[in-house]
Amino acid sequence: PKQEEAIEKPTEDSLAAKYHHQPLVTDLFTADPSAHVFEGKIYIYPSHDIQTDVAQDDMGSHFDMKDYHVFSMEKSGGPVTDHGVALALEDIPWASRQLWAPDAAEKDGKYYLYFPAKDKEGIFKIGVASSDKPSGPFRAEPQPISGTFSMDPAVFQEGSDYFLIWGGIWGGQLQWYEDQKLVPGRDGQLTGLPEAEEPALIPYISKLGGDMKSLSEKPKEIQILDESGNPIKAGDNKRRFFEAAWMHKLGDTYYLSYSTGDTHFIAYATGDNPYGPFTYRGNVLNPVEGWTNHHSIVEFEGKWYLFYHDTQLSGDTPLRNIKMAELTHNPDGTIQTVDAMRK
Ligand code: FUB
């Protein structure tokens, strides 16, 4: 009987060997995995990539997704359960297209899905939908969250405080804003990007209201500084913020990680509170196959995991597949860079 049990129940090591750095989902294309531990399991909230006829451009028009699926795993690495469609574009009253990278949070037994979509005018906003279960289905609010703009929301929870962090340049439209207001006439795709010697555009943060559906304060910019304490410049493409902000905390250190976009790294910076400033420290993840790089970092049963995507299954940038790998924090607070290409 002992042997049978061993056959039926794979060990942690065999699961790790099978799934780590392998696509977690193979019958759908999935990307931008935001992972959380809810009800003792890992839940993953990714984008659901689909084949479209939309031509590729600098604004990511080819990422034309229409719904979200939620996935869960009882063990690190798998097996993976697909809980089906959790939210569809046609059920979001204010949205017109492009369901990009989502995230989720739990409060008092309710679950909240935060997602970016273009409104009827083609402007990215961040919406919220709620459910009694982590797997959904989620019911969307009739309007986007007031005061939000751009895309790639991530929620960082600390005790009873929940922070919404977001933003992205190029297709994420952050370059169209000044003082959080859309600048009229800035509809040239990349119009508004700072010059190379100017400070780069940076992500935003705001504490969520008690209802989890509103911002409780005016959003603030999260400063990302170099080793001399100066803001990272727009021309510093290997270190500057592009999109895909994520926050986690280990000990007293807050980690802000993000994609550098056109240089394809997941970089990270550390700080001593969620609002920053953060100081650039290095890379969490080297470039992966495909143009985009987008990740999340979560602790599960005493180990840290990196969730990310590449294009192993399709070889095509808009058709991605999510993966996971173990992540190691060094005693000095740095993170060991993951090199997905070598696995
Ligand atoms: O999946 C669409 C977009 O691609 C995401 O929102 C970005 O972070 C990039 O991964």
Side-chain angles (χ1 to χ4, degrees):
K2 260 200 168 157
Q3 219 176 356
E4 267 173 37
E5 204 178 287
I7 291 165
E8 275 175 27
K9 291 188 181 167
T11 64
E12 198 64 44
D13 279 355
S14 69
L15 280 174
K18 185 166 175 213
Y19 288 98
H20 287 199
H21 292 288
Q22 291 301 320
L24 291 171
V25 177
T26 53
D27 59 338
L28 296 176
F29 290 109
T30 52
D32 311 321
S34 292
H36 290 275
V37 178
F38 295 140
E39 299 179 347
K41 297 182 201 170
I42 298 176
Y43 276 86
I44 313 171
Y45 300 84
S47 302
H48 174 196
D49 284 353
I50 48 170
Q51 186 93 52
T52 69
D53 297 334
V54 183
Q56 298 198 16
D57 62 19
D58 282 347
M59 298 301 272
S61 306
H62 42 296
F63 295 112
D64 199 19
M65 297 85 105
K66 299 194 187 313
D67 64 26
Y68 294 111
H69 283 233
V70 175
F71 300 87
S72 67
M73 285 185 295
E74 296 194 13
K75 283 186 172 295
S76 72
V80 178
T81 303
D82 178 357
H83 296 278
V85 176
L87 181 66
L89 185 61
E90 63 259 28
D91 297 322
I92 307 167
W94 60 270
S96 67
R97 58 186 298 234
Q98 289 178 292
L99 293 182
W100 282 14
D103 194 16
E106 180 272 340
K107 185 186 177 192
D108 299 335
K110 266 202 168 257
Y111 295 85
Y112 300 88
L113 183 72
Y114 299 87
F115 59 90
K118 283 189 178 160
D119 67 10
K120 312 280 184 206
E121 277 74 52
I123 302 299
F124 265 119
K125 299 274 168 60
I126 295 169
V128 58
S130 54
S131 173
D132 292 331
K133 291 187 290 179
S135 52
F138 289 87
R139 192 184 160 87
E141 292 298 305
Q143 298 293 335
I145 300 173
S146 181
T148 65
F149 48 93
S150 196
M151 42 48 115
D152 281 5
V155 182
F156 173 67
Q157 181 188 356
E158 184 162 50
S160 56
D161 291 332
Y162 294 79
F163 300 89
L164 189 69
I165 298 155
W166 71 90
I169 63 173
W170 294 27
Q173 304 179 340
L174 207 50
Q175 67 277 6
W176 292 355
Y177 289 81
E178 244 165 53
D179 296 329
Q180 304 176 40
K181 297 260 172 344
L182 194 61
V183 181
R186 245 185 224 186
D187 45 6
Q189 296 194 339
L190 304 184
T191 317
L193 283 173
E195 296 296 328
E197 286 306 308
E198 291 177 331
L201 297 176
I202 42 184
Y204 281 83
I205 183 168
S206 171
K207 204 180 275 189
L208 285 165
D211 62 358
M212 298 292 276
K213 297 174 180 174
S214 58
L215 305 181
S216 72
E217 59 186 358
K218 191 172 174 353
K220 299 173 174 65
E221 288 179 302
I222 308 178
Q223 294 295 332
I224 307 174
L225 310 176
D226 65 17
E227 60 288 350
S228 309
N230 298 313
I232 300 240
K233 291 181 177 157
D236 191 349
N237 296 43
K238 287 192 173 162
R239 301 196 296 175
R240 64 96 166 83
F241 170 75
F242 190 100
E243 63 187 2
W246 184 262
M247 196 174 285
H248 74 281
K249 187 185 181 193
L250 177 57
D252 293 332
T253 304
Y254 294 79
Y255 292 82
L256 173 71
S257 44
Y258 55 90
S259 169
T260 63
D262 54 350
T263 51
H264 318 289
F265 293 99
I266 298 296
Y268 73 101
T270 55
D272 62 12
N273 77 91
Y275 295 98
F278 286 82
T279 303
Y280 175 88
R281 301 292 290 273
N283 289 321
V284 172
L285 178 62
N286 280 333
V288 297
E289 291 170 1
W291 198 95
T292 64
N293 204 349
H294 191 126
H295 71 301
S296 64
I297 294 170
V298 68
E299 189 179 17
F300 180 62
E301 295 181 342
K303 285 186 174 174
W304 286 89
Y305 295 95
L306 172 71
F307 286 77
Y308 66 101
H309 66 228
D310 65 15
T311 58
Q312 181 182 320
L313 293 176
S314 73
D316 194 9
T317 278
L319 298 175
R320 300 163 289 181
N321 49 257
I322 58 170
K323 294 184 165 183
M324 70 184 292
E326 257 183 68
L327 187 72
T328 305
H329 296 81
N330 294 315
D332 67 356
T334 55
I335 288 177
Q336 289 181 17
T337 307
V338 174
D339 198 340
M341 301 294 279
R342 286 205 207 118
K343 298 284 169 176

